[in-house]
Amino acid sequence: MKALLIVAHGSRRAASNEEVEALAAAVEISCAEQFGYIGTAFLELAQPDIPTGIDRCIEAGADTVVVVPYFLAAGTHVANDIPAIIDEARGRHSHCSFELKSHIGASPMMAALVKDVATR
Amino acid sequence: MKALLIVAHGSRRAASNEEVEALAAAVEISCAEQFGYIGTAFLELAQPDIPTGIDRCIEAGADTVVVVPYFLAAGTHVANDIPAIIDEARGRHSHCSFELKSHIGASPMMAALVKDVATR
């Protein structure tokens, strides 16, 4: 089974973290065929952290975990911190494969999304 | 003429700010009918700042400035800081109208974008 883990920065504001959870719920509705489990995790300031989020995917039965960084910019968090955490998880879960995707800011759909917000 | 100003947080990393400028260039290609001018501005850590970005829209001939916050979460920057800067600009440019849009994280297209990144 393939799981999707949406990884966000995390905020001290509960409402910001809840926005990410609401997004995950919306993604879940449209991805039921592709992913048997969809979870969220936070790099810092909120729970669950990324290792816990990965563990939950595997407890749910995942043999593949697809990680999407919910970040706009390819800063240190995206370039270094998240890959290091995924590499650590590869060591702990050698029977599971991990696919780390590009941060969402690099999506070719982003320009269309910004246009939609601007003209709505 | 209607101008679009994409407002990002800004980063000490030049590459992050250049990602925003590249996005604006991509938006410009698809928005030539809707907007006569498209610019970027940064809340902090990078130039141009938001008042300068607004002034450039008006120098380009805008009588309406549409502002899109390129932020994922509705934190203090989106809820307080950016609206306060736009209100200040309304005082300086009384002949111009301003439309402050939702932050992009609230876009109904975001779930589809995340699905696309996850399944690409």
Side-chain angles (χ1 to χ4, degrees):
Chain A
M1 182 271 273
K2 196 180 268 202
L4 170 61
L5 187 64
I6 299 170
V7 171
H9 185 279
S11 169
R12 286 184 188 85
R13 292 178 66 258
S16 290
N17 304 324
E18 287 160 8
E19 276 188 87
V20 179
E21 283 153 15
L23 172 73
V27 173
E28 192 161 22
I29 290 167
S30 67
C31 283
E33 282 181 29
Q34 290 87 353
F35 298 102
Y37 175 86
I38 296 184
T40 53
F42 300 95
L43 182 64
E44 55 190 41
L45 303 175
Q47 289 298 326
D49 61 18
I50 303 173
T52 303
I54 288 170
D55 291 352
R56 287 183 185 172
C57 292
I58 288 165
E59 284 159 19
D63 52 22
T64 302
V65 177
V66 176
V67 178
V68 171
Y70 191 62
F71 286 72
L72 289 178
T76 309
H77 293 324
V78 165
N80 303 326
D81 300 343
I82 295 173
I85 295 169
I86 303 304
D87 279 344
E88 184 272 341
R90 282 194 175 97
R92 281 189 297 128
H93 300 292
S94 55
H95 60 288
C96 182
S97 72
F98 292 86
E99 292 178 27
L100 178 55
K101 299 292 187 177
S102 301
H103 64 294
I104 63 151
S107 164
M109 282 179 64
M110 189 57 85
L113 186 146
V114 170
K115 178 182 178 179
D116 182 69
V117 172
T119 56
R120 187 171 279 273
Chain B
M1 185 269 275
K2 196 180 266 201
L4 170 61
L5 188 64
I6 299 171
V7 171
H9 185 278
S11 169
R12 285 185 189 85
R13 292 177 66 259
S16 290
N17 304 325
E18 287 159 8
E19 277 187 87
V20 179
E21 282 153 16
L23 172 74
V27 173
E28 192 161 22
I29 290 166
S30 67
C31 283
E33 282 182 30
Q34 291 86 355
F35 297 102
Y37 176 87
I38 296 183
T40 53
F42 300 95
L43 182 64
E44 53 191 42
L45 302 175
Q47 289 296 326
D49 61 17
I50 303 173
T52 303
I54 288 170
D55 290 353
R56 287 182 186 173
C57 292
I58 288 167
E59 282 158 20
D63 52 22
T64 302
V65 178
V66 175
V67 178
V68 171
Y70 191 62
F71 286 73
L72 289 177
T76 309
H77 292 324
V78 166
N80 301 326
D81 301 342
I82 295 173
I85 294 168
I86 303 304
D87 279 345
E88 184 272 340
R90 281 193 176 98
R92 281 190 297 127
H93 300 291
S94 55
H95 60 289
C96 182
S97 73
F98 291 86
E99 292 178 26
L100 177 55
K101 299 291 187 178
S102 302
H103 63 294
I104 64 151
S107 164
M109 281 178 66
M110 189 57 85
L113 185 147
V114 170
K115 178 182 179 180
D116 182 68
V117 171
T119 56
R120 186 171 282 271

